[in-house]
């Protein structure tokens, strides 16, 4: 006799042995599971896995007999299953696969990028962006199963942090640094300016209170939550100055021309005095605003009385935020800590 296959992976399974005996008139079948039959070509159903010895004894009318037997195996099919958590990320993406297969002893993974593995729970690094189908083929020696998950892994572009900086010089020098963000594949940003402050603006500007070197960091985030970091060191110059006018017109000028008002910035200590020709101090100021600029000017009076039109002498000193001293006003190629101012009426 013959049977279609000597292995089946389905339970229950019904087989129909084909009796090819010749010269026989009676048949005795033993199916190895305590079931027998005397039919020519019977059907038998197996409901329990195992290996069964099927025996056929064929006899003729004279009592002569012949025996033939075949082995038949009923196996339990494995069920292939797996997950990958997370199933998406930025390149390079390390995927970890958790095997949920039952009833298998052998595994073959196909990751969709040409690489394979025979591990139970493999990890795999994807080095190119794209969508990948993952296939798992499992077997237990007799039976196998295959699962194909379409677009199982999504590998997204990674952000690339990039930036540059410049200290603003126009229309006049300032202590404001302008940052230019040229990051790629990023949707949000976090800046650390190196002085305890930061920003989430794409291309921010920042004013530093002190000169020096600062370590600035930009973290660029993609919409999927991936990040890239770029750190640079910048050197910040704090610009400073002190200027004293040489004339003013109290009572008849407009705006600041009414006052003898020194101009400057980033000054931390300051003193200016105005004298008459006899050395009397007519006016003095040490007041500075939060930007380190002189806060008040001389209105051309002394003890509440307007001073006459004349030339008066000033004397000034100052120290700036970077620790340097003011060396005076340039005149005829030299620096002077004193000078004159003309009061016009």
């Amino acid at each position: 006799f013959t049977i279609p296959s000597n292995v089946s992976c389905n339970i229950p399974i019904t087989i129909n042995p084909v009796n090819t005996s010749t010269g026989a008139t009676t048949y005795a079948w033993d199916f190895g599971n305590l079931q027998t039959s005397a039919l020519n070509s019977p059907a038998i159903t197996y409901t329990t896995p195992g290996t069964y010895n099927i025996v056929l004894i064929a006899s003729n009318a004279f009592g002569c007999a012949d025996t033939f037997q075949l082995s038949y195996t009923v196996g339990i099919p494995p069920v292939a299953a797996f997950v990958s958590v997370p199933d998406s990320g930025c390149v390079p993406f390390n995927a970890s696969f958790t095997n949920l297969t039952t009833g298998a002893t052998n595994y073959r993974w196909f990751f969709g990028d040409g690489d394979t593995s025979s591990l139970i729970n493999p990890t795999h690094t994807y080095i190119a962006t794209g969508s990948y189908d993952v296939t798992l083929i499992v077997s237990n020696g007799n039976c196998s199963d295959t699962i194909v998950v379409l677009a199982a892994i999504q590998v997204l572009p990674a952000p690339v942090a990039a930036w540059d900086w410049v200290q603003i010089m126009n229309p006049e020098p300032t202590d404001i640094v302008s940052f230019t963000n040229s990051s790629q594949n990023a949707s949000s940003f976090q800046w650390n300016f190196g002085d305890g402050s930061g920003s989430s603006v794409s291309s921010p500007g920042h004013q530093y209170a002190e000169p020096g070197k600062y370590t600035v960091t930009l973290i660029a985030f993609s919409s999927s939550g991936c990040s890239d970091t770029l750190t640079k060191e910048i050197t910040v110059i704090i610009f400073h100055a002190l200027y004293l006018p040489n004339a003013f017109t109290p009572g008849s000028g407009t705006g600041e021309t009414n006052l003898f008002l020194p101009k400057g910035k980033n000054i931390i200590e300051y003193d200016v005095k105005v004298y008459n020709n006899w050395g009397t101090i007519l006016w003095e100021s040490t007041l500075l605003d939060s930007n380190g600029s002189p806060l008040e000017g001389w209105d051309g009076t002394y003890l509440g009385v307007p001073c006459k039109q004349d030339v008066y002498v000033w004397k000034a000193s100052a120290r700036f935020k970077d620790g340097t001293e003011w060396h005076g006003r340039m005149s005829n190629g030299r620096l002077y800590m004193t000078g004159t101012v003309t009061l016009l009426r």
Side-chain angles (χ1 to χ4, degrees):
F1 67 91
T2 61
I3 53 179
S5 172
N6 65 344
V7 176
S8 173
C9 291
N10 297 313
I11 296 177
I13 179 68
T14 298
I15 63 172
N16 298 91
V18 178
N19 193 337
T20 56
S21 303
T22 58
T25 56
T26 61
Y27 307 95
W29 295 86
D30 184 344
F31 298 107
N33 63 348
L34 302 181
Q35 296 186 58
T36 60
S37 176
L39 297 177
N40 186 330
S41 295
I44 176 64
T45 299
Y46 291 99
T47 60
T48 305
T51 298
Y52 301 91
N53 196 36
I54 302 174
V55 178
L56 170 61
I57 300 175
S59 303
N60 61 17
F62 304 101
C64 298
D66 189 28
T67 300
F68 183 78
Q69 62 183 10
L70 286 175
S71 176
Y72 184 73
T73 299
V74 178
I76 299 177
V79 178
F82 70 89
V83 293
S84 176
V85 179
D87 57 8
S88 65
C90 294
V91 64
F93 176 61
N94 294 316
S96 297
F97 296 93
T98 300
N99 197 332
L100 304 178
T101 299
T102 57
T105 56
N106 300 293
Y107 309 91
R108 192 66 175 172
W109 296 84
F110 299 85
F111 298 119
D113 62 352
D115 285 348
T116 64
S117 175
S118 58
L119 298 177
I120 298 176
N121 296 298
T123 59
H124 180 64
T125 300
Y126 291 88
I127 60 174
T129 60
S131 177
Y132 296 90
D133 304 335
V134 178
T135 300
L136 173 60
I137 301 174
V138 300
S139 65
N140 57 16
N142 295 313
C143 306
S144 64
D145 188 31
T146 300
I147 182 174
V148 179
V149 179
L150 301 178
I153 299 296
Q154 303 293 325
V155 182
L156 309 172
V160 179
W163 60 272
D164 208 343
W165 69 283
V166 63
Q167 191 159 356
I168 296 176
M169 303 292 288
N170 293 310
E172 64 179 17
T174 72
D175 46 10
I176 297 175
V177 174
S178 176
F179 294 95
T180 302
N181 190 339
S182 55
S183 301
Q184 299 178 6
N185 303 322
S187 58
S188 61
F189 309 94
Q190 185 60 56
W191 292 87
N192 183 332
F193 296 127
D195 62 350
S197 61
S199 174
S200 58
V201 175
S202 176
S203 294
H206 181 62
Q207 185 171 15
Y208 287 89
E210 301 293 338
K213 295 183 181 296
Y214 293 88
T215 300
V216 179
T217 298
L218 169 63
I219 306 175
F221 298 91
S222 69
S223 57
S224 57
C226 300
S227 65
D228 187 38
T229 301
L230 179 61
T231 298
K232 296 181 182 181
E233 186 178 77
I234 69 172
T235 300
V236 177
I237 301 172
I238 301 298
F239 292 96
H240 50 69
L242 176 62
Y243 167 77
L244 294 100
N246 58 13
F248 71 113
T249 56
S252 60
T254 59
E256 293 180 353
T257 62
N258 278 298
L259 298 173
F260 170 72
L261 179 62
K263 295 289 188 179
K265 66 180 302 183
N266 291 321
I267 304 169
I268 58 172
E269 291 181 5
Y270 158 81
D271 180 72
V272 61
K273 299 179 179 70
V274 176
Y275 300 85
N276 62 18
N277 293 330
W278 295 275
T280 302
I281 298 177
L282 304 178
W283 175 79
E284 181 180 10
S285 179
T286 60
L287 297 181
L288 298 166
D289 64 15
S290 59
N291 294 319
S293 300
L295 192 59
E296 59 183 355
W298 180 41
D299 62 1
T301 66
Y302 177 62
L303 300 177
V305 179
C307 297
K308 66 177 182 176
Q309 179 171 304
D310 203 347
V311 176
Y312 296 87
V313 176
W314 57 258
K315 183 177 181 181
S317 64
R319 188 165 64 90
F320 301 107
K321 284 185 177 180
D322 62 1
T324 61
E325 302 286 339
W326 183 65
H327 297 297
R329 188 177 68 173
M330 181 68 69
S331 177
N332 297 322
R334 294 182 59 187
L335 291 170
Y336 294 91
M337 305 291 288
T338 62
T340 61
V341 57
T342 301
L343 188 158
L344 300 171
R345 292 195 183 277

